[in-house]
PDB file of all heavy atoms in Angstrom:
ATOM      1  N   CYS I 128       9.853  -2.434  -8.210  1.00  0.00           N
ATOM      2  CA  CYS I 128       8.688  -3.080  -7.583  1.00  0.00           C
ATOM      3  C   CYS I 128       8.329  -4.418  -8.316  1.00  0.00           C
ATOM      4  O   CYS I 128       7.965  -5.367  -7.740  1.00  0.00           O
ATOM      5  CB  CYS I 128       7.498  -2.119  -7.518  1.00  0.00           C
ATOM      6  SG  CYS I 128       7.806  -0.746  -6.417  1.00  0.00           S
ATOM      7  N   VAL I 129       8.306  -4.276  -9.622  1.00  0.00           N
ATOM      8  CA  VAL I 129       7.950  -5.479 -10.469  1.00  0.00           C
ATOM      9  C   VAL I 129       9.024  -6.536 -10.293  1.00  0.00           C
ATOM     10  O   VAL I 129       8.624  -7.748  -9.986  1.00  0.00           O
ATOM     11  CB  VAL I 129       7.891  -5.193 -12.015  1.00  0.00           C
ATOM     12  CG1 VAL I 129       7.775  -6.396 -12.792  1.00  0.00           C
ATOM     13  CG2 VAL I 129       6.701  -4.132 -12.225  1.00  0.00           C
ATOM     14  N   THR I 130      10.249  -6.226 -10.219  1.00  0.00           N
ATOM     15  CA  THR I 130      11.356  -7.169  -9.972  1.00  0.00           C
ATOM     16  C   THR I 130      11.288  -7.771  -8.666  1.00  0.00           C
ATOM     17  O   THR I 130      11.573  -9.022  -8.528  1.00  0.00           O
ATOM     18  CB  THR I 130      12.689  -6.571 -10.244  1.00  0.00           C
ATOM     19  OG1 THR I 130      12.764  -5.992 -11.613  1.00  0.00           O
ATOM     20  CG2 THR I 130      13.809  -7.534 -10.073  1.00  0.00           C
ATOM     21  N   HIS I 131      10.881  -6.967  -7.643  1.00  0.00           N
ATOM     22  CA  HIS I 131      10.872  -7.442  -6.286  1.00  0.00           C
ATOM     23  C   HIS I 131       9.563  -7.768  -5.724  1.00  0.00           C
ATOM     24  O   HIS I 131       9.418  -7.908  -4.427  1.00  0.00           O
ATOM     25  CB  HIS I 131      11.628  -6.417  -5.385  1.00  0.00           C
ATOM     26  CG  HIS I 131      13.129  -6.220  -5.801  1.00  0.00           C
ATOM     27  ND1 HIS I 131      14.113  -7.104  -5.130  1.00  0.00           N
ATOM     28  CD2 HIS I 131      13.713  -5.435  -6.633  1.00  0.00           C
ATOM     29  CE1 HIS I 131      15.253  -6.683  -5.705  1.00  0.00           C
ATOM     30  NE2 HIS I 131      15.057  -5.743  -6.596  1.00  0.00           N
ATOM     31  N   GLN I 132       8.458  -7.863  -6.555  1.00  0.00           N
ATOM     32  CA  GLN I 132       7.248  -8.029  -6.140  1.00  0.00           C
ATOM     33  C   GLN I 132       6.937  -9.131  -5.157  1.00  0.00           C
ATOM     34  O   GLN I 132       6.245  -9.026  -4.154  1.00  0.00           O
ATOM     35  CB  GLN I 132       6.282  -8.372  -7.302  1.00  0.00           C
ATOM     36  CG  GLN I 132       4.858  -8.436  -6.955  1.00  0.00           C
ATOM     37  CD  GLN I 132       3.837  -8.683  -8.166  1.00  0.00           C
ATOM     38  OE1 GLN I 132       4.281  -8.982  -9.243  1.00  0.00           O
ATOM     39  NE2 GLN I 132       2.618  -8.445  -7.900  1.00  0.00           N
ATOM     40  N   TYR I 133       7.678 -10.307  -5.277  1.00  0.00           N
ATOM     41  CA  TYR I 133       7.533 -11.491  -4.417  1.00  0.00           C
ATOM     42  C   TYR I 133       8.629 -11.649  -3.502  1.00  0.00           C
ATOM     43  O   TYR I 133       8.958 -12.785  -3.059  1.00  0.00           O
ATOM     44  CB  TYR I 133       7.236 -12.661  -5.224  1.00  0.00           C
ATOM     45  CG  TYR I 133       5.813 -12.532  -5.856  1.00  0.00           C
ATOM     46  CD1 TYR I 133       5.701 -12.207  -7.247  1.00  0.00           C
ATOM     47  CD2 TYR I 133       4.721 -12.798  -5.162  1.00  0.00           C
ATOM     48  CE1 TYR I 133       4.432 -12.050  -7.814  1.00  0.00           C
ATOM     49  CE2 TYR I 133       3.438 -12.718  -5.641  1.00  0.00           C
ATOM     50  CZ  TYR I 133       3.274 -12.332  -7.010  1.00  0.00           C
ATOM     51  OH  TYR I 133       2.035 -12.238  -7.550  1.00  0.00           O
ATOM     52  N   ASP I 134       9.461 -10.619  -3.125  1.00  0.00           N
ATOM     53  CA  ASP I 134      10.577 -10.779  -2.177  1.00  0.00           C
ATOM     54  C   ASP I 134       9.957 -11.355  -0.898  1.00  0.00           C
ATOM     55  O   ASP I 134      10.720 -12.075  -0.174  1.00  0.00           O
ATOM     56  CB  ASP I 134      11.211  -9.442  -1.824  1.00  0.00           C
ATOM     57  CG  ASP I 134      12.211  -9.116  -2.952  1.00  0.00           C
ATOM     58  OD1 ASP I 134      12.309  -9.811  -3.979  1.00  0.00           O
ATOM     59  OD2 ASP I 134      12.849  -8.002  -2.801  1.00  0.00           O
ATOM     60  N   ASN I 135       8.878 -11.043  -0.523  1.00  0.00           N
ATOM     61  CA  ASN I 135       8.164 -11.626   0.663  1.00  0.00           C
ATOM     62  C   ASN I 135       6.777 -12.174   0.042  1.00  0.00           C
ATOM     63  O   ASN I 135       5.919 -11.428  -0.058  1.00  0.00           O
ATOM     64  CB  ASN I 135       7.944 -10.500   1.743  1.00  0.00           C
ATOM     65  CG  ASN I 135       7.254 -11.175   2.972  1.00  0.00           C
ATOM     66  OD1 ASN I 135       6.366 -12.076   2.918  1.00  0.00           O
ATOM     67  ND2 ASN I 135       7.585 -10.636   4.167  1.00  0.00           N
ATOM     68  N   SER I 136       6.760 -13.446   0.037  1.00  0.00           N
ATOM     69  CA  SER I 136       5.622 -14.094  -0.676  1.00  0.00           C
ATOM     70  C   SER I 136       4.362 -13.951   0.131  1.00  0.00           C
ATOM     71  O   SER I 136       3.197 -14.084  -0.434  1.00  0.00           O
ATOM     72  CB  SER I 136       5.847 -15.554  -1.090  1.00  0.00           C
ATOM     73  OG  SER I 136       6.170 -16.235   0.094  1.00  0.00           O
ATOM     74  N   SER I 137       4.542 -13.701   1.439  1.00  0.00           N
ATOM     75  CA  SER I 137       3.306 -13.549   2.307  1.00  0.00           C
ATOM     76  C   SER I 137       2.712 -12.155   2.156  1.00  0.00           C
ATOM     77  O   SER I 137       1.593 -11.901   2.533  1.00  0.00           O
ATOM     78  CB  SER I 137       3.635 -13.788   3.747  1.00  0.00           C
ATOM     79  OG  SER I 137       4.032 -15.167   3.895  1.00  0.00           O
ATOM     80  N   TYR I 138       3.544 -11.198   1.703  1.00  0.00           N
ATOM     81  CA  TYR I 138       3.183  -9.773   1.577  1.00  0.00           C
ATOM     82  C   TYR I 138       3.691  -9.279   0.203  1.00  0.00           C
ATOM     83  O   TYR I 138       4.672  -8.421   0.167  1.00  0.00           O
ATOM     84  CB  TYR I 138       3.684  -8.948   2.604  1.00  0.00           C
ATOM     85  CG  TYR I 138       2.971  -9.166   3.957  1.00  0.00           C
ATOM     86  CD1 TYR I 138       3.389 -10.075   4.849  1.00  0.00           C
ATOM     87  CD2 TYR I 138       1.798  -8.509   4.308  1.00  0.00           C
ATOM     88  CE1 TYR I 138       2.687 -10.336   6.054  1.00  0.00           C
ATOM     89  CE2 TYR I 138       1.063  -8.625   5.355  1.00  0.00           C
ATOM     90  CZ  TYR I 138       1.512  -9.694   6.368  1.00  0.00           C
ATOM     91  OH  TYR I 138       0.811  -9.811   7.456  1.00  0.00           O
ATOM     92  N   PRO I 139       3.225  -9.871  -0.922  1.00  0.00           N
ATOM     93  CA  PRO I 139       3.684  -9.269  -2.265  1.00  0.00           C
ATOM     94  C   PRO I 139       3.356  -7.889  -2.452  1.00  0.00           C
ATOM     95  O   PRO I 139       2.286  -7.334  -1.903  1.00  0.00           O
ATOM     96  CB  PRO I 139       3.011 -10.239  -3.195  1.00  0.00           C
ATOM     97  CG  PRO I 139       1.766 -10.662  -2.591  1.00  0.00           C
ATOM     98  CD  PRO I 139       2.035 -10.786  -1.094  1.00  0.00           C
ATOM     99  N   ILE I 140       4.047  -7.274  -3.216  1.00  0.00           N
ATOM    100  CA  ILE I 140       3.812  -5.792  -3.580  1.00  0.00           C
ATOM    101  C   ILE I 140       2.611  -5.814  -4.627  1.00  0.00           C
ATOM    102  O   ILE I 140       2.718  -6.385  -5.755  1.00  0.00           O
ATOM    103  CB  ILE I 140       4.976  -5.070  -4.307  1.00  0.00           C
ATOM    104  CG1 ILE I 140       6.152  -5.034  -3.295  1.00  0.00           C
ATOM    105  CG2 ILE I 140       4.603  -3.699  -4.717  1.00  0.00           C
ATOM    106  CD1 ILE I 140       7.372  -4.442  -3.938  1.00  0.00           C
ATOM    107  N   MET I 141       1.475  -5.237  -4.180  1.00  0.00           N
ATOM    108  CA  MET I 141       0.324  -5.277  -5.003  1.00  0.00           C
ATOM    109  C   MET I 141      -0.094  -3.880  -5.416  1.00  0.00           C
ATOM    110  O   MET I 141      -0.970  -3.711  -6.309  1.00  0.00           O
ATOM    111  CB  MET I 141      -0.967  -5.973  -4.303  1.00  0.00           C
ATOM    112  CG  MET I 141      -0.702  -7.478  -4.035  1.00  0.00           C
ATOM    113  SD  MET I 141      -0.117  -8.476  -5.509  1.00  0.00           S
ATOM    114  CE  MET I 141      -1.597  -8.426  -6.464  1.00  0.00           C
ATOM    115  N   ILE I 142       0.374  -2.904  -4.717  1.00  0.00           N
ATOM    116  CA  ILE I 142       0.027  -1.459  -4.994  1.00  0.00           C
ATOM    117  C   ILE I 142       1.310  -0.688  -5.057  1.00  0.00           C
ATOM    118  O   ILE I 142       2.225  -0.801  -4.138  1.00  0.00           O
ATOM    119  CB  ILE I 142      -0.906  -0.981  -3.867  1.00  0.00           C
ATOM    120  CG1 ILE I 142      -2.245  -1.750  -3.952  1.00  0.00           C
ATOM    121  CG2 ILE I 142      -1.191   0.568  -4.016  1.00  0.00           C
ATOM    122  CD1 ILE I 142      -3.099  -1.490  -2.739  1.00  0.00           C
ATOM    123  N   ILE I 143       1.380   0.193  -5.980  1.00  0.00           N
ATOM    124  CA  ILE I 143       2.481   1.252  -6.088  1.00  0.00           C
ATOM    125  C   ILE I 143       1.786   2.574  -5.789  1.00  0.00           C
ATOM    126  O   ILE I 143       0.848   2.909  -6.512  1.00  0.00           O
ATOM    127  CB  ILE I 143       3.198   1.179  -7.385  1.00  0.00           C
ATOM    128  CG1 ILE I 143       3.912  -0.192  -7.532  1.00  0.00           C
ATOM    129  CG2 ILE I 143       4.183   2.311  -7.424  1.00  0.00           C
ATOM    130  CD1 ILE I 143       4.362  -0.291  -8.974  1.00  0.00           C
TER     131      ILE I 143
END
Side-chain angles (χ1 to χ4, degrees):
C128 292
V129 171
T130 301
H131 296 271
Q132 181 178 18
Y133 291 101
D134 282 1
N135 183 323
S136 59
S137 297
Y138 287 91
I140 300 171
M141 298 306 296
I142 298 170
I143 296 173

